[in-house]
Amino acid sequence: MRKENQVIKQILDFACNEEKVRAVMINGSRVNSNAPKDIMQDYDIVFFITNIDDVSYKINQDWVNVFGELVIMQQNDFEDGSYIFLMQFKDGVRIDLGFKDINRIEEMTKEDTLSKILLDKDNIGLKLPLPNDSIHYVKKPTEKEFNEILNEAWWIQTYVAKAIWRDELPLAKYMFDVVLIDCIREILSWHIGEMYNWKINVGKCGKWFKGLLPEEIFNELVSIYPTVDYEEMWQSLFEAGKFIRKIGKELAEKLGYNYPIQDDINVTEYIQKIKILPRDATDFY
């Protein structure tokens, strides 16, 4: 596997030989001193080019071979005319290489505090602060945002319960594993944000929860993730409710908001009824 200095050299050598590329920026975890370092880290690179309407890099993609032998690649376009190549190479190196208009370089460096200029052919001389992840800090929720997520966290449990009762596994799994877990992740992010005075980055999808949460709470979170066994899913659903109640009430008190206790009571009673409802029932009662 190529070392970081080798990959950066390949990137800069290529950029130096391309007249259209005027500047190179790296951002993301490679310049985040708080991010765990391992061999799976991507290289998030931006090439700032003279004419973003020039699609030659998209039409003839032979240039990609300069960076290694591909496992797979994905190319995406954006509304502002910029585009990106997501490239996974066989030696384990992954490079996400974006192409953006050189006229947007100052704007782009302000958008992401995890940015570092590697090459500046025209001596633009942008003054950037040391890379930091402050832009990714958990933001304190407004009362409206708090209420909406807590409402969704309880509301979606009725969907999960109904799908289990109907033996609609794909729907039950989606509502639980995606929608409900997303709500729990958001609540936990706020919980951690409050713990660190809103100066903490929990990582994409809460990937750094394990190192930021007390072991007991993290283990409770892990225990919520269900299997495809319906009995285990029911148990996980009720455990999820307890978890939301525990974290949500504590967070509401610290933020000075109201925890939706009536939604909690009503939904818990409702899904308990569904759990014992015979599969061939013709009446809810």
Side-chain angles (χ1 to χ4, degrees):
M1 185 178 193
R2 285 165 285 169
K3 301 297 184 183
E4 182 174 299
N5 64 326
Q6 293 175 296
V7 177
I8 296 298
K9 185 178 185 302
Q10 283 183 307
I11 290 167
L12 292 180
D13 285 349
F14 179 84
C16 286
N17 290 324
E18 293 290 309
E19 179 62 26
K20 288 175 285 191
V21 179
R22 307 311 302 167
V24 178
M25 182 174 75
I26 183 170
N27 50 33
S29 66
R30 291 262 169 193
V31 291
N32 184 359
S33 60
N34 295 319
K37 305 299 180 185
D38 60 38
I39 62 172
M40 293 293 180
Q41 282 183 293
D42 304 341
Y43 292 85
D44 296 302
I45 305 293
V46 180
F47 280 177
F48 290 95
I49 62 177
T50 50
N51 180 9
I52 199 63
D53 294 325
D54 182 348
V55 295
S56 57
Y57 290 111
K58 291 193 285 186
I59 294 173
N60 181 358
Q61 299 178 4
D62 290 345
W63 60 269
V64 173
N65 298 324
V66 170
F67 297 105
E69 190 176 358
L70 283 170
V71 173
I72 189 171
M73 181 175 74
Q74 185 177 103
Q75 191 265 307
N76 297 317
D77 299 318
F78 303 103
E79 290 183 1
D80 64 356
S82 63
Y83 49 94
I84 192 169
F85 289 84
L86 310 177
M87 303 176 289
Q88 179 63 63
F89 297 97
K90 288 188 176 180
D91 68 346
V93 170
R94 172 172 162 174
I95 302 174
D96 292 351
L97 181 53
F99 290 78
K100 295 184 181 295
D101 194 316
I102 186 61
N103 295 316
R104 294 195 60 210
I105 187 169
E106 188 170 358
E107 173 190 346
M108 290 297 303
T109 53
K110 291 178 179 178
E111 285 182 3
D112 191 347
T113 55
L114 284 174
S115 300
K116 180 180 179 181
I117 299 296
L118 297 179
L119 179 66
D120 178 4
K121 291 182 180 178
D122 303 312
N123 295 314
I124 298 172
L126 291 173
K127 303 294 184 183
L128 298 182
L130 288 175
N132 63 87
D133 60 355
S134 59
I135 197 171
H136 301 289
Y137 285 171
V138 176
K139 292 178 175 58
K140 180 180 178 180
T142 64
E143 188 168 10
K144 181 176 183 291
E145 290 169 335
F146 178 83
N147 291 339
E148 287 176 347
I149 289 294
L150 266 294
N151 177 265
E152 179 74 352
W154 286 105
W155 169 259
I156 208 64
Q157 292 183 51
T158 66
Y159 279 83
V160 178
K162 183 164 62 175
I164 294 174
W165 183 80
R166 285 176 167 170
D167 189 19
E168 296 172 339
L169 183 63
L171 179 61
K173 291 289 287 178
Y174 178 82
M175 291 299 175
F176 197 130
D177 296 10
V178 179
V179 185
L180 180 56
I181 290 296
D182 276 352
C183 289
I184 292 172
R185 239 190 336 249
E186 190 72 33
I187 295 167
L188 267 182
S189 294
W190 292 337
H191 174 75
I192 294 170
E194 194 280 330
M195 286 170 56
Y196 287 85
N197 197 30
W198 309 103
K199 293 181 179 179
I200 191 67
N201 174 12
V202 298
K204 185 178 181 180
C205 297
K207 64 181 180 180
W208 296 329
F209 277 175
K210 186 174 184 178
L212 295 172
L213 286 167
E215 185 178 2
E216 177 188 356
I217 293 180
F218 182 75
N219 289 339
E220 286 182 53
L221 171 65
V222 172
S223 71
I224 290 169
Y225 284 83
T227 66
V228 295
D229 180 88
Y230 283 143
E231 280 304 313
E232 291 183 11
M233 287 184 71
W234 276 119
Q235 183 61 33
S236 293
L237 186 58
F238 291 122
E239 289 301 321
K242 292 178 185 177
F243 191 69
I244 293 167
R245 184 178 308 119
K246 173 182 175 178
I247 302 298
K249 289 178 74 172
E250 180 182 335
L251 184 60
E253 184 177 345
K254 290 180 177 179
L255 294 176
Y257 301 158
N258 293 318
Y259 176 77
I261 188 62
Q262 202 56 55
D263 287 348
D264 179 331
I265 294 170
N266 290 345
V267 171
T268 301
E269 291 178 351
Y270 178 77
I271 63 178
Q272 284 173 341
K273 288 181 180 178
I274 293 180
K275 184 180 186 303
I276 61 174
L277 193 67
R279 182 67 183 82
D280 58 352
T282 57
D283 188 277
F284 191 72
Y285 296 99

